Amino acid sequence: RSGATQPKQMPIRHPDGNAFIERMFRTLKEEAVWPNEFDTFDQASEAIRAWMIDYNHERPHASLGERTPAEARAEAAQHKTAA
């Protein structure tokens, strides 16, 4: 898939790796899971998928200079190919 994220191995017990994923999962649960009552797995899956699209493609992140993760990835790829 074009634009799909690639897994990145973090060093074992790397302090940043766990903190970033824990924060993302907390935000996911607070915004997409806990406020809703799902009757089926498919409903929950669709809500999570929609949240992830918004999180990665629509929502600017302060830690990325108010860019979306998709914009930051595109810029990093552009710099990588230019180098």
Side-chain angles (χ1 to χ4, degrees):
R1 295 185 315 179
S2 177
T5 59
Q6 297 298 315
K8 180 179 177 184
Q9 180 91 21
M10 293 295 290
I12 294 175
R13 298 192 179 130
H14 190 275
D16 289 341
N18 195 43
F20 291 134
I21 196 68
E22 290 294 332
R23 177 65 180 134
M24 193 273 309
F25 274 132
R26 182 177 134 207
T27 304
L28 166 66
K29 291 185 285 188
E30 288 175 342
E31 295 179 2
V33 177
W34 293 337
N36 299 298
E37 289 188 26
F38 303 109
D39 293 322
T40 66
F41 175 81
D42 288 339
Q43 288 176 340
S45 181
E46 178 57 29
I48 291 168
R49 186 189 71 75
W51 181 88
M52 291 178 72
I53 289 169
D54 178 69
Y55 187 85
N56 287 308
H57 297 278
E58 303 297 329
R59 179 189 302 195
H61 295 249
S63 64
L64 298 174
E66 297 303 324
R67 296 174 298 164
T68 68
E71 291 168 337
R73 277 191 303 275
E75 186 176 313
Q78 197 172 40
H79 288 288
K80 187 176 182 179
T81 57

Coordinates of all heavy atoms in Angstrom, one line a residue:
R1 N 0.8 -1.2 0.0 CA 0.0 0.0 0.0 C 0.9 1.2 0.0 O 1.8 1.3 0.8 CB -0.9 0.0 1.2 CG -1.9 -1.1 1.2 CD -2.9 -1.0 2.4 NE -2.2 -0.7 3.7 CZ -2.8 -0.5 4.8 NH1 -4.1 -0.6 4.8 NH2 -2.2 -0.2 5.9
S2 N 0.5 2.1 -0.8 CA 1.2 3.4 -0.9 C 0.9 4.3 0.3 O -0.2 4.4 0.7 CB 0.8 4.2 -2.2 OG 1.5 5.4 -2.2
G3 N 1.9 4.8 0.9 CA 1.7 5.7 2.1 C 1.6 4.9 3.4 O 1.3 5.5 4.4
A4 N 1.6 3.6 3.4 CA 1.4 2.8 4.6 C 2.7 3.0 5.5 O 3.8 3.2 5.0 CB 1.3 1.4 4.3
T5 N 2.4 3.1 6.8 CA 3.5 3.2 7.7 C 4.3 1.9 7.8 O 3.7 0.8 7.6 CB 3.0 3.6 9.1 OG1 2.2 2.6 9.6 CG2 2.3 4.9 9.1
Q6 N 5.6 2.0 8.0 CA 6.4 0.9 8.2 C 6.8 0.7 9.6 O 7.1 1.7 10.3 CB 7.7 1.0 7.3 CG 7.4 1.1 5.8 CD 6.8 -0.1 5.3 OE1 7.2 -1.2 5.6 NE2 5.7 0.0 4.5
P7 N 6.8 -0.5 10.1 CA 7.2 -0.7 11.5 C 8.6 -0.3 11.7 O 9.5 -0.5 10.8 CB 7.0 -2.2 11.8 CG 6.6 -2.8 10.5 CD 6.4 -1.7 9.5
K8 N 8.9 0.2 12.9 CA 10.3 0.6 13.2 C 10.6 0.0 14.5 O 9.9 0.2 15.5 CB 10.4 2.1 13.3 CG 11.8 2.6 13.6 CD 11.8 4.1 13.6 CE 13.2 4.6 14.0 NZ 13.3 6.1 14.2
Q9 N 11.7 -0.8 14.6 CA 12.1 -1.4 15.8 C 12.8 -0.4 16.7 O 13.7 0.3 16.3 CB 13.1 -2.5 15.5 CG 13.6 -3.3 16.7 CD 12.8 -4.5 17.0 OE1 12.1 -5.0 16.1 NE2 12.9 -4.9 18.2
M10 N 12.2 -0.2 17.9 CA 12.8 0.6 18.9 C 13.7 -0.2 19.8 O 13.4 -1.4 20.0 CB 11.8 1.3 19.8 CG 10.9 2.3 19.1 SD 11.7 3.7 18.5 CE 12.1 4.6 20.0
P11 N 14.8 0.4 20.3 CA 15.7 -0.4 21.2 C 14.8 -0.9 22.4 O 13.9 -0.2 22.8 CB 16.7 0.6 21.6 CG 16.7 1.6 20.6 CD 15.3 1.7 20.0
I12 N 15.1 -2.0 22.9 CA 14.4 -2.6 24.0 C 14.5 -1.6 25.2 O 15.6 -1.1 25.5 CB 14.9 -4.0 24.4 CG1 14.6 -4.9 23.3 CG2 14.3 -4.5 25.7 CD1 15.2 -6.3 23.4
R13 N 13.4 -1.3 25.8 CA 13.3 -0.4 27.0 C 13.7 1.0 26.6 O 14.1 1.7 27.5 CB 14.0 -1.0 28.1 CG 13.4 -2.3 28.6 CD 14.0 -2.7 29.9 NE 13.4 -4.0 30.2 CZ 14.0 -5.1 30.6 NH1 15.3 -5.1 30.8 NH2 13.3 -6.2 30.9
H14 N 13.6 1.4 25.4 CA 13.9 2.8 25.0 C 12.8 3.7 25.6 O 11.6 3.4 25.3 CB 13.9 2.9 23.5 CG 14.4 4.2 23.0 ND1 13.6 5.3 22.9 CD2 15.7 4.6 22.7 CE1 14.4 6.3 22.5 NE2 15.6 5.9 22.3
P15 N 13.1 4.7 26.4 CA 12.1 5.5 27.1 C 11.1 6.2 26.1 O 9.9 6.3 26.4 CB 12.9 6.4 27.9 CG 14.2 6.5 27.3 CD 14.5 5.1 26.7
D16 N 11.6 6.6 25.0 CA 10.7 7.4 24.1 C 9.6 6.5 23.4 O 8.5 6.8 23.3 CB 11.5 8.1 23.0 CG 12.2 9.3 23.6 OD1 11.9 9.7 24.7 OD2 13.2 9.7 22.9
G17 N 10.1 5.3 23.0 CA 9.2 4.4 22.3 C 7.9 4.1 23.0 O 6.8 4.2 22.5
N18 N 8.0 3.7 24.3 CA 6.8 3.4 25.0 C 6.0 4.6 25.3 O 4.7 4.5 25.2 CB 7.2 2.7 26.3 CG 6.1 2.0 27.0 OD1 5.3 1.3 26.3 ND2 5.9 2.2 28.3
A19 N 6.6 5.7 25.6 CA 5.8 6.9 26.0 C 5.0 7.4 24.8 O 3.8 7.8 25.0 CB 6.8 8.0 26.4
F20 N 5.5 7.4 23.6 CA 4.8 7.8 22.4 C 3.6 6.9 22.1 O 2.5 7.4 21.8 CB 5.7 7.9 21.2 CG 6.7 9.0 21.3 CD1 8.0 8.7 20.9 CD2 6.4 10.3 21.7 CE1 9.0 9.7 21.0 CE2 7.3 11.3 21.7 CZ 8.6 11.0 21.4
I21 N 3.8 5.6 22.2 CA 2.7 4.7 21.8 C 1.6 4.7 22.9 O 0.4 4.7 22.6 CB 3.2 3.3 21.5 CG1 2.1 2.5 20.8 CG2 3.6 2.6 22.7 CD1 1.8 3.0 19.4
E22 N 2.0 4.8 24.2 CA 1.1 4.9 25.3 C 0.2 6.1 25.1 O -1.0 6.1 25.4 CB 1.8 4.9 26.6 CG 2.4 3.5 27.0 CD 1.4 2.4 27.2 OE1 0.3 2.7 27.6 OE2 1.8 1.3 26.9
R23 N 0.8 7.3 24.8 CA 0.0 8.5 24.6 C -0.9 8.4 23.5 O -2.1 8.8 23.5 CB 1.0 9.7 24.4 CG 0.3 11.0 24.1 CD -0.5 11.4 25.4 NE -1.2 12.7 25.1 CZ -2.4 12.9 25.3 NH1 -3.2 12.1 26.0 NH2 -3.0 14.1 25.0
M24 N -0.5 7.8 22.3 CA -1.4 7.6 21.2 C -2.6 6.7 21.5 O -3.7 7.0 21.2 CB -0.6 7.1 20.0 CG -1.3 7.2 18.7 SD -2.5 5.8 18.2 CE -1.5 4.4 18.4
F25 N -2.3 5.6 22.2 CA -3.4 4.7 22.6 C -4.3 5.3 23.6 O -5.5 5.1 23.5 CB -2.8 3.4 23.2 CG -2.5 2.4 22.1 CD1 -1.2 1.7 22.2 CD2 -3.3 2.0 21.1 CE1 -0.9 0.8 21.2 CE2 -3.0 1.1 20.2 CZ -1.8 0.5 20.2
R26 N -3.8 6.1 24.5 CA -4.7 6.8 25.5 C -5.6 7.8 24.7 O -6.8 7.8 25.0 CB -3.9 7.6 26.5 CG -4.7 8.3 27.5 CD -3.9 9.0 28.6 NE -4.5 10.3 28.8 CZ -3.8 11.3 29.2 NH1 -2.5 11.2 29.4 NH2 -4.4 12.5 29.3
T27 N -5.1 8.5 23.8 CA -5.9 9.5 23.0 C -6.9 8.7 22.2 O -8.1 9.1 22.1 CB -5.0 10.3 22.1 OG1 -4.0 11.0 22.9 CG2 -5.8 11.4 21.3
L28 N -6.5 7.6 21.6 CA -7.5 6.8 20.8 C -8.6 6.3 21.7 O -9.8 6.5 21.3 CB -6.7 5.6 20.2 CG -7.6 4.4 19.7 CD1 -8.4 4.9 18.5 CD2 -6.8 3.2 19.3
K29 N -8.3 5.8 22.8 CA -9.4 5.3 23.7 C -10.3 6.5 24.2 O -11.5 6.3 24.2 CB -8.8 4.6 24.9 CG -8.1 3.3 24.5 CD -7.6 2.5 25.7 CE -6.4 3.1 26.3 NZ -5.8 2.2 27.3
E30 N -9.7 7.6 24.6 CA -10.5 8.7 25.1 C -11.4 9.3 24.0 O -12.5 9.8 24.3 CB -9.5 9.9 25.6 CG -8.9 9.5 26.9 CD -7.9 10.6 27.3 OE1 -7.4 11.4 26.5 OE2 -7.5 10.6 28.5
E31 N -11.0 9.3 22.8 CA -11.7 10.0 21.7 C -12.6 9.1 20.9 O -13.6 9.5 20.3 CB -10.8 10.8 20.8 CG -10.0 11.9 21.5 CD -9.1 12.6 20.6 OE1 -9.0 12.3 19.4 OE2 -8.4 13.6 21.1
A32 N -12.2 7.8 20.7 CA -12.9 7.0 19.8 C -13.6 5.7 20.4 O -14.5 5.2 19.9 CB -12.0 6.5 18.6
V33 N -13.0 5.3 21.5 CA -13.5 4.1 22.1 C -14.5 4.3 23.3 O -15.6 3.9 23.3 CB -12.4 3.1 22.5 CG1 -12.9 1.9 23.2 CG2 -11.5 2.8 21.3
W34 N -14.0 5.0 24.3 CA -14.7 5.1 25.6 C -16.0 5.9 25.4 O -17.0 5.6 26.0 CB -13.9 5.8 26.7 CG -12.8 4.9 27.1 CD1 -12.7 3.5 27.1 CD2 -11.6 5.3 27.8 NE1 -11.5 3.1 27.6 CE2 -10.8 4.1 28.0 CE3 -11.0 6.5 28.1 CZ2 -9.6 4.2 28.7 CZ3 -9.8 6.6 28.7 CH2 -9.1 5.4 29.0
P35 N -16.1 7.0 24.5 CA -17.3 7.7 24.4 C -18.4 7.0 23.7 O -19.6 7.4 23.6 CB -17.0 9.0 23.6 CG -15.5 9.0 23.6 CD -15.0 7.6 23.8
N36 N -18.1 5.8 23.1 CA -19.1 5.1 22.2 C -19.5 3.8 22.8 O -18.7 3.1 23.5 CB -18.5 4.9 20.8 CG -18.2 6.2 20.1 OD1 -19.1 7.0 19.9 ND2 -16.9 6.5 19.9
E37 N -20.7 3.3 22.5 CA -21.1 2.0 22.8 C -21.2 1.3 21.4 O -22.1 1.6 20.6 CB -22.4 1.9 23.5 CG -22.3 2.4 24.9 CD -23.5 2.2 25.7 OE1 -24.3 1.3 25.4 OE2 -23.7 3.0 26.7
F38 N -20.4 0.3 21.2 CA -20.5 -0.5 19.9 C -21.2 -1.8 20.1 O -21.1 -2.5 21.1 CB -19.0 -0.8 19.5 CG -18.2 0.4 19.3 CD1 -17.1 0.7 20.2 CD2 -18.4 1.3 18.3 CE1 -16.4 1.8 20.0 CE2 -17.6 2.5 18.1 CZ -16.6 2.7 19.0
D39 N -22.1 -2.1 19.1 CA -22.8 -3.3 19.1 C -22.1 -4.5 18.5 O -22.3 -5.6 18.8 CB -24.2 -3.1 18.4 CG -25.1 -2.2 19.2 OD1 -25.1 -2.2 20.4 OD2 -25.8 -1.4 18.5
T40 N -21.1 -4.1 17.6 CA -20.4 -5.2 16.9 C -18.9 -4.8 16.8 O -18.6 -3.6 16.9 CB -20.9 -5.3 15.4 OG1 -20.7 -4.2 14.7 CG2 -22.4 -5.6 15.4
F41 N -18.1 -5.8 16.6 CA -16.7 -5.5 16.3 C -16.5 -4.6 15.1 O -15.6 -3.8 15.1 CB -16.0 -6.9 16.1 CG -14.5 -6.7 15.8 CD1 -13.6 -6.5 16.8 CD2 -14.1 -6.8 14.5 CE1 -12.3 -6.3 16.5 CE2 -12.8 -6.6 14.2 CZ -11.8 -6.4 15.2
D42 N -17.3 -4.9 14.1 CA -17.1 -4.0 12.9 C -17.4 -2.6 13.1 O -16.7 -1.7 12.6 CB -18.1 -4.5 11.8 CG -17.6 -5.9 11.2 OD1 -16.4 -6.2 11.3 OD2 -18.5 -6.6 10.6
Q43 N -18.4 -2.2 14.0 CA -18.6 -0.9 14.4 C -17.4 -0.2 15.1 O -17.0 0.9 14.7 CB -19.8 -0.7 15.3 CG -21.1 -1.0 14.6 CD -22.3 -0.9 15.6 OE1 -22.1 -1.1 16.8 NE2 -23.5 -0.7 15.0
A44 N -16.8 -1.0 16.0 CA -15.6 -0.5 16.7 C -14.5 -0.4 15.8 O -13.8 0.6 15.8 CB -15.3 -1.5 17.9
S45 N -14.3 -1.3 14.9 CA -13.2 -1.3 14.0 C -13.3 -0.1 13.0 O -12.3 0.6 12.8 CB -13.2 -2.6 13.2 OG -12.1 -2.6 12.3
E46 N -14.5 0.2 12.6 CA -14.7 1.3 11.7 C -14.4 2.7 12.4 O -13.8 3.6 11.8 CB -16.1 1.3 11.1 CG -16.4 2.5 10.2 CD -15.5 2.7 9.0 OE1 -14.9 1.7 8.5 OE2 -15.3 3.8 8.6
A47 N -14.9 2.8 13.6 CA -14.6 4.0 14.4 C -13.2 4.2 14.6 O -12.7 5.3 14.5 CB -15.4 3.9 15.7
I48 N -12.4 3.1 14.9 CA -11.0 3.2 15.2 C -10.3 3.6 13.9 O -9.4 4.4 13.8 CB -10.4 2.0 15.8 CG1 -11.0 1.8 17.2 CG2 -8.9 1.9 15.8 CD1 -10.8 0.5 17.9
R49 N -10.7 3.0 12.8 CA -10.1 3.3 11.5 C -10.3 4.8 11.1 O -9.4 5.4 10.7 CB -10.7 2.4 10.4 CG -10.0 2.6 9.0 CD -10.8 1.8 7.9 NE -12.0 2.5 7.6 CZ -12.1 3.6 6.9 NH1 -11.0 4.2 6.4 NH2 -13.3 4.1 6.6
A50 N -11.5 5.3 11.3 CA -11.8 6.7 11.0 C -11.0 7.6 11.9 O -10.4 8.6 11.4 CB -13.3 7.0 11.2
W51 N -10.8 7.2 13.1 CA -10.0 8.0 14.1 C -8.5 8.1 13.6 O -7.9 9.1 13.6 CB -10.1 7.5 15.5 CG -9.3 8.3 16.5 CD1 -9.8 9.4 17.1 CD2 -8.0 8.1 16.9 NE1 -8.8 9.9 17.9 CE2 -7.6 9.1 17.8 CE3 -7.0 7.2 16.5 CZ2 -6.4 9.3 18.4 CZ3 -5.7 7.3 17.1 CH2 -5.4 8.3 18.0
M52 N -8.0 6.9 13.2 CA -6.6 6.8 12.8 C -6.4 7.7 11.5 O -5.3 8.3 11.4 CB -6.2 5.4 12.5 CG -6.1 4.6 13.9 SD -5.7 2.9 13.7 CE -4.0 3.1 13.2
I53 N -7.3 7.7 10.6 CA -7.2 8.5 9.4 C -7.2 10.0 9.8 O -6.3 10.7 9.3 CB -8.4 8.2 8.4 CG1 -8.2 6.8 7.8 CG2 -8.4 9.3 7.3 CD1 -9.3 6.3 7.0
D54 N -8.1 10.4 10.7 CA -8.1 11.8 11.1 C -6.8 12.1 11.9 O -6.2 13.1 11.6 CB -9.3 12.0 12.1 CG -9.3 13.4 12.7 OD1 -9.5 14.3 11.9 OD2 -9.0 13.6 13.9
Y55 N -6.3 11.2 12.7 CA -5.1 11.4 13.5 C -3.9 11.6 12.6 O -3.0 12.4 12.9 CB -4.9 10.3 14.5 CG -3.8 10.4 15.5 CD1 -4.0 11.1 16.7 CD2 -2.5 9.9 15.2 CE1 -3.0 11.2 17.6 CE2 -1.5 10.0 16.1 CZ -1.7 10.7 17.3 OH -0.7 10.8 18.2
N56 N -3.8 10.8 11.6 CA -2.6 10.8 10.7 C -2.7 11.8 9.6 O -1.6 12.2 9.0 CB -2.3 9.4 10.2 CG -1.8 8.5 11.3 OD1 -0.8 8.9 12.0 ND2 -2.4 7.4 11.5
H57 N -3.9 12.1 9.1 CA -4.0 12.9 7.9 C -4.7 14.3 8.0 O -4.6 15.1 7.1 CB -4.7 12.1 6.8 CG -4.0 10.9 6.4 ND1 -3.0 10.9 5.5 CD2 -4.1 9.6 6.8 CE1 -2.5 9.6 5.4 NE2 -3.2 8.9 6.2
E58 N -5.4 14.5 9.1 CA -6.2 15.7 9.3 C -5.7 16.6 10.4 O -5.8 17.8 10.4 CB -7.7 15.4 9.4 CG -8.2 14.6 8.3 CD -8.2 15.3 6.9 OE1 -8.3 16.5 6.9 OE2 -8.1 14.6 5.9
R59 N -5.2 15.9 11.5 CA -5.0 16.6 12.8 C -3.5 17.1 12.8 O -2.6 16.2 12.9 CB -5.3 15.7 13.9 CG -5.0 16.3 15.3 CD -5.1 15.3 16.4 NE -6.5 14.7 16.4 CZ -6.9 14.0 17.4 NH1 -6.2 13.8 18.4 NH2 -8.1 13.4 17.3
P60 N -3.3 18.4 12.9 CA -1.9 18.8 13.1 C -1.4 18.4 14.5 O -2.2 18.4 15.5 CB -1.9 20.3 13.0 CG -3.4 20.7 12.7 CD -4.2 19.5 12.8
H61 N -0.1 18.2 14.6 CA 0.5 17.8 15.9 C 1.5 18.8 16.3 O 2.4 19.2 15.5 CB 1.2 16.4 15.8 CG 0.2 15.3 15.5 ND1 0.0 14.3 16.4 CD2 -0.5 15.0 14.4 CE1 -0.9 13.5 15.9 NE2 -1.2 13.8 14.7
A62 N 1.5 19.3 17.5 CA 2.4 20.3 18.0 C 3.9 19.8 17.9 O 4.8 20.5 17.5 CB 2.1 20.7 19.4
S63 N 4.1 18.5 18.2 CA 5.4 17.9 18.2 C 6.0 17.8 16.7 O 7.2 17.6 16.6 CB 5.4 16.5 18.8 OG 4.6 15.6 18.0
L64 N 5.1 18.0 15.7 CA 5.6 17.9 14.3 C 5.5 19.3 13.7 O 5.4 19.4 12.5 CB 4.7 17.0 13.5 CG 4.8 15.5 14.0 CD1 3.8 14.7 13.2 CD2 6.2 14.9 13.9
G65 N 5.6 20.4 14.5 CA 5.5 21.7 14.0 C 4.2 22.1 13.4 O 4.1 22.7 12.3
E66 N 3.1 21.6 14.0 CA 1.7 21.8 13.5 C 1.5 21.2 12.1 O 0.6 21.7 11.4 CB 1.4 23.3 13.6 CG 1.4 23.9 15.0 CD 0.5 23.2 16.0 OE1 -0.6 22.7 15.6 OE2 0.9 23.0 17.1
R67 N 2.2 20.2 11.8 CA 2.0 19.4 10.6 C 1.3 18.1 11.0 O 1.4 17.7 12.1 CB 3.3 19.1 9.8 CG 4.0 20.3 9.3 CD 5.3 19.9 8.8 NE 6.1 19.3 9.8 CZ 7.3 18.7 9.7 NH1 7.7 18.5 8.5 NH2 7.9 18.2 10.7
T68 N 0.6 17.5 10.0 CA 0.1 16.2 10.3 C 1.2 15.1 10.1 O 2.2 15.4 9.5 CB -1.0 15.8 9.3 OG1 -0.5 15.7 8.0 CG2 -2.1 16.8 9.3
P69 N 1.0 13.9 10.7 CA 2.0 12.9 10.5 C 2.2 12.6 9.0 O 3.4 12.4 8.6 CB 1.5 11.7 11.3 CG 0.7 12.3 12.4 CD 0.1 13.5 11.8
A70 N 1.2 12.6 8.2 CA 1.3 12.4 6.8 C 2.2 13.4 6.1 O 3.0 13.1 5.3 CB -0.1 12.3 6.1
E71 N 2.0 14.7 6.5 CA 2.8 15.7 6.0 C 4.3 15.6 6.4 O 5.2 15.8 5.6 CB 2.3 17.1 6.4 CG 1.0 17.5 5.8 CD 0.3 18.7 6.5 OE1 0.6 19.0 7.7 OE2 -0.5 19.3 5.8
A72 N 4.5 15.2 7.6 CA 5.9 15.1 8.1 C 6.6 13.9 7.4 O 7.7 14.0 7.1 CB 5.9 14.8 9.6
R73 N 5.8 12.8 7.2 CA 6.4 11.6 6.5 C 6.7 12.0 5.1 O 7.8 11.7 4.5 CB 5.4 10.5 6.5 CG 5.5 9.6 7.7 CD 4.7 8.3 7.6 NE 3.3 8.5 7.2 CZ 2.3 8.8 8.1 NH1 2.6 8.8 9.4 NH2 1.1 8.9 7.7
A74 N 5.9 12.8 4.4 CA 6.1 13.2 3.0 C 7.3 14.1 2.9 O 8.2 13.9 2.0 CB 4.9 13.9 2.4
E75 N 7.5 15.0 3.8 CA 8.6 15.9 3.8 C 9.9 15.1 4.1 O 10.9 15.3 3.5 CB 8.4 17.0 4.9 CG 9.5 18.0 4.9 CD 9.3 19.1 5.9 OE1 8.2 19.6 5.9 OE2 10.3 19.5 6.6
A76 N 9.8 14.1 5.0 CA 11.0 13.3 5.3 C 11.4 12.5 4.1 O 12.6 12.4 3.8 CB 10.8 12.4 6.6
A77 N 10.4 11.9 3.4 CA 10.7 11.1 2.2 C 11.3 12.0 1.1 O 12.2 11.6 0.4 CB 9.5 10.5 1.7
Q78 N 10.8 13.2 1.0 CA 11.4 14.2 0.0 C 12.8 14.5 0.3 O 13.6 14.5 -0.6 CB 10.5 15.4 0.0 CG 10.7 16.3 -1.2 CD 9.6 17.4 -1.2 OE1 9.4 18.0 -0.2 NE2 9.1 17.7 -2.4
H79 N 13.2 14.7 1.6 CA 14.5 15.0 1.9 C 15.4 13.8 1.7 O 16.6 14.0 1.3 CB 14.6 15.5 3.4 CG 14.1 16.9 3.6 ND1 14.7 18.0 3.2 CD2 12.9 17.3 4.2 CE1 14.0 19.1 3.5 NE2 12.9 18.7 4.1
K80 N 14.9 12.6 2.0 CA 15.7 11.4 1.8 C 16.0 11.2 0.4 O 17.1 10.8 0.0 CB 14.9 10.2 2.4 CG 15.7 8.9 2.4 CD 14.9 7.8 3.1 CE 15.7 6.6 3.2 NZ 14.9 5.5 3.8
T81 N 15.0 11.4 -0.5 CA 15.3 11.2 -2.0 C 16.2 12.3 -2.5 O 16.9 12.0 -3.5 CB 14.0 11.1 -2.8 OG1 13.3 12.3 -2.6 CG2 13.2 9.9 -2.4
A82 N 16.2 13.5 -1.9 CA 17.0 14.6 -2.4 C 18.5 14.4 -2.0 O 19.4 15.0 -2.6 CB 16.5 15.9 -1.9
A83 N 18.7 13.6 -0.9 CA 20.1 13.4 -0.4 C 20.9 12.4 -1.2 O 20.6 11.7 -2.0 CB 20.0 13.0 1.1

